[in-house]
Amino acid sequence: MSKPQYVLAIDNGTTSTRAIVFDHAGSKCGTGQLETTQIFPKSGWVEHDPREIWTNTVKVIELALKEAGLDAADIAAVGITNQRETTVMWDKSTGIPVYNAIVWQDTRTQSIIDEVAEQGLSVPNVNRFKDKTGLPLATYFAASKIVWILNNVPGARERAETGELAFGTIDTWLLWNLTGGINGGKHITDVTNASRTLLMNLETLSWDEELLDAFQIPRELLPTIASSSEIYGTSVSPLLGVPVSGILGDQQAATFGQAAFESGEAKNTYGTGNFLIFNTGEEIVHSQNGLLTTVAYKLGDGQAHYALEGSIAVTGSLIQWLRDNLGIISSASEVETLALSVPDNGGAYFVPAFSGLFAPHWRPDARGAIVGLTRFVNKAHIARAALEAVAFQTREVLDATNADTGVALTEVRVDGGMIANELLMQFQADLLGVPVIRPVVAETTALGAAYAAGLAVGFWANTDELRGLWQEEKRWLPQIDDEERAKLLRVWNKAVEKSLNWIDEDSVQL
Ligand code: ADP
């Protein structure tokens, strides 16, 4: 029998699960995709059904194989990439989750975070574990979600202590099921996902006793932490006999898919929110400017590579807001046509601080503001201001990155749904003052997971070979001078000022 010529990536995002088959050149050969049901039991609560995610995963694998005209025997390896931080807990003997998956956006655990920030301290400190984990104490990460399940599902804590239950992020849940579930499924996560739990020490890359104590999380619950590229186990149907050999959290996978393997390389993803990841190589860089520190990847026994991450909450979702809440466009792509119908923003600036401002400000007291309005401003100017806001926020995160690393980025590789927008890409290049580059394969997240899996089985030889596969599709060069850029940024900063200090005892949050 000839050697299998393809690698399959499973990409579980927040809104859907996809499977994509790639060939040796890194080109797409088949795709399957199914939406995930979003469950909102209460304000601020966001859940997924882990069983739906698993059954959808099986279906999308079958769809992708069918579209590519292949079967399991043609697949050399399977990789997994996933929405990060989303937390699942299940019974190891039945495979049944004890509760729905608590999604990364869920904020129900604020009181758990507050307690840990206060423990034994005269002044609460959300940064008390930042040196160890690279993260502030926040509901975003997995630890407080685990605690919530242990405290609120009857019997969960006792069953966790006796080793009956397993915790995992979605990568772990999928791997356990793919490798046999109750019949010997592997209970493993990779370093990138573990680095988003608030429980892993960035230096030792292992679960940390002090952190487990602070959150009162039993060690027995936790998966083994493995590298991002090694054979974790062998898949059951529908990929019977295929090695499962790559795991990366979604933003890290996009970085890998963009071939940003080395220190000083970066990518920026424009999706629901924006995530800029700057590879700092083998060095752990602690941000002084509002960025997170995270693991970028670790290949087998190799050294871990680290990254700084700038997370922006509202970018693509602002375009959805123009469509769904204002109704001034009927599809996301229409925003470009509308914005192009005017030559500039007409003086309007839009700060989309819908849930406060994330990186680099971290200001929960901020709220959305449209400023500079006159009788002249119309909906096209608002559309333009919305697109510009995406680029301005990215500029802020890039400035924070440059300040933290002392290295000025010389170009930015982009991916995600919004990069179809050429007006945005040009304005982004103008504001950054460096080229913005779009790759041929826009599905860099799935591609990164495929790369990690393929490397582990020798399908690809090394990262140099992968670097050779990366292909530029288009680049935008800055077209304004420094003076013009400085003016734009100064006005944007004024607009940001206007959005701050909004939430107080009188402006009650609805
Ligand atoms: P995610 O992975 O977070 O679900 P995607 O990378 O699929 O996001 O990108 C989807 C986002 O991109 C949506 O929020 C949508 O509003 C936005 N988007 C899609 N096409 C365009 C466009 N042509 N112009 C501006 N925004 C767009």
Side-chain angles (χ1 to χ4, degrees):
M1 209 173 87
S2 61
K3 274 170 85 179
Q5 296 300 318
Y6 302 89
V7 171
L8 185 142
I10 298 165
D11 177 1
N12 170 256
T14 310
T15 54
S16 72
T17 305
R18 291 192 295 181
I20 303 184
V21 178
F22 293 97
D23 65 14
H24 211 269
S27 302
K28 265 192 326 178
C29 304
T31 304
Q33 179 163 2
L34 287 169
E35 298 300 314
T36 305
T37 308
Q38 306 293 318
I39 304 165
F40 304 112
K42 292 186 188 178
S43 170
W45 292 31
V46 189
E47 299 178 359
H48 290 163
D49 177 353
R51 284 164 302 182
E52 179 193 64
I53 290 177
W54 169 239
T55 52
N56 280 356
T57 299
V58 172
K59 287 183 205 157
V60 296
I61 291 171
E62 287 166 347
L63 288 170
L65 288 175
K66 191 166 171 213
E67 190 177 295
L70 302 171
D71 60 35
D74 298 306
I75 306 297
V78 54
I80 300 171
T81 179
N82 56 297
Q83 51 172 322
R84 304 171 301 173
E85 302 95 12
T86 298
T87 295
V88 192
M89 205 180 291
W90 68 96
D91 184 316
K92 286 193 255 188
S93 64
T94 63
I96 298 174
V98 300
Y99 192 76
N100 272 339
I102 303 184
V103 176
W104 60 276
Q105 302 137 314
D106 190 296
T107 54
R108 80 182 69 179
T109 57
Q110 189 59 50
S111 62
I112 296 169
I113 291 295
D114 293 344
E115 267 173 43
V116 176
E118 283 162 19
Q119 262 168 17
L121 301 172
S122 48
V123 183
N125 179 9
V126 292
N127 289 323
R128 62 183 284 223
F129 299 125
K130 198 144 190 250
D131 283 351
K132 250 186 191 173
T133 63
L135 312 172
L137 290 168
T139 60
Y140 179 20
F141 308 108
S144 63
K145 302 178 198 297
I146 299 175
V147 174
W148 191 93
I149 296 175
L150 292 176
N151 292 350
N152 289 279
V153 174
R157 185 166 288 281
E158 293 72 34
R159 289 164 72 200
E161 279 162 2
T162 55
E164 287 172 49
L165 303 185
F167 150 76
T169 35
I170 298 290
D171 56 310
T172 305
W173 169 244
L174 293 181
L175 176 71
W176 190 78
N177 282 291
L178 265 181
T179 54
I182 57 171
N183 300 310
K186 306 290 182 196
H187 188 211
I188 294 173
T189 190
D190 93 304
V191 280
T192 66
N193 278 292
S195 76
R196 317 295 293 189
T197 58
L198 267 172
L199 300 173
M200 190 187 81
N201 182 316
L202 277 179
E203 275 177 36
T204 63
L205 302 176
S206 47
W207 304 122
D208 186 280
E209 287 305 326
E210 185 195 4
L211 300 170
L212 296 182
D213 277 356
F215 283 99
Q216 292 286 295
I217 292 176
R219 175 72 188 77
E220 294 73 15
L221 258 183
L222 304 178
T224 302
I225 302 176
S227 78
S228 318
S229 176
E230 63 182 84
I231 298 176
Y232 312 107
T234 305
S235 177
V236 295
S237 176
L239 289 169
L240 185 63
V242 178
V244 190
S245 52
I247 301 179
L248 286 162
D250 56 7
Q251 298 307 323
Q252 284 90 341
T255 311
F256 210 73
Q258 288 271 24
F261 302 123
E262 299 306 328
S263 178
E265 296 181 317
K267 67 88 202 180
N268 195 30
T269 299
Y270 296 73
T272 309
N274 269 30
F275 297 87
L276 186 131
I277 296 231
F278 181 98
N279 189 325
T280 60
E282 291 171 18
E283 192 186 350
I284 298 173
V285 177
H286 286 288
S287 178
Q288 307 301 318
N289 296 284
L291 305 177
L292 307 177
T293 307
T294 202
V295 179
Y297 66 86
K298 180 180 186 301
L299 303 180
D301 295 335
Q303 287 290 319
H305 281 235
Y306 296 90
L308 284 165
E309 174 175 320
S311 324
I312 303 169
V314 177
T315 59
S317 55
L318 179 57
I319 308 308
Q320 292 171 342
W321 185 82
L322 295 183
R323 185 193 63 195
D324 302 338
N325 296 40
L326 293 194
I328 63 171
I329 49 173
S330 56
S331 70
S333 59
E334 237 179 74
V335 73
E336 186 166 6
T337 324
L338 181 59
L340 278 170
S341 68
V342 287
D344 55 37
N345 63 18
Y349 285 75
F350 196 155
V351 185
F354 292 170
S355 38
L357 284 171
F358 279 28
H361 304 283
W362 301 104
R363 290 290 297 260
D365 58 303
R367 281 298 175 271
I370 306 176
V371 295
L373 295 182
T374 62
R375 183 67 182 78
F376 173 71
V377 170
N378 62 33
K379 63 183 180 181
H381 297 117
I382 301 295
R384 203 156 181 129
L387 289 175
E388 290 182 359
V390 176
F392 277 121
Q393 293 184 99
T394 297
R395 164 73 198 221
E396 292 178 330
V397 164
L398 190 91
D399 284 346
T401 310
N402 289 346
D404 275 338
T405 59
V407 183
L409 266 184
T410 54
E411 60 176 46
V412 178
R413 293 182 173 191
V414 297
D415 50 53
M418 294 191 90
I419 66 166
N421 193 307
E422 307 242 346
L423 177 64
L424 170 62
M425 293 296 101
Q426 181 57 55
F427 189 68
Q428 186 70 85
D430 289 344
L431 267 193
L432 297 181
V434 296
V436 166
I437 302 173
R438 187 165 72 186
V440 170
V441 178
E443 285 86 355
T444 52
T445 306
L447 185 61
Y451 282 170
L455 282 174
V457 298
F459 186 81
W460 289 291
N462 50 41
T463 52
D464 286 343
E465 183 184 357
L466 298 177
R467 190 180 288 286
L469 300 180
W470 188 90
Q471 278 183 300
E472 175 174 329
E473 189 250 335
K474 182 160 182 180
R475 74 169 52 206
W476 288 266
L477 302 175
Q479 290 178 350
I480 62 173
D481 61 23
D482 289 350
E483 198 184 330
E484 175 69 13
R485 185 173 306 117
K487 252 195 243 172
L488 286 167
L489 292 169
R490 199 181 69 78
V491 184
W492 167 256
N493 288 334
K494 276 203 302 184
V496 171
E497 286 295 321
K498 306 282 180 209
S499 77
L500 304 178
N501 297 312
W502 185 258
I503 293 295
D504 57 25
E505 59 275 16
D506 295 329
S507 53
V508 179
Q509 197 172 353
L510 293 173

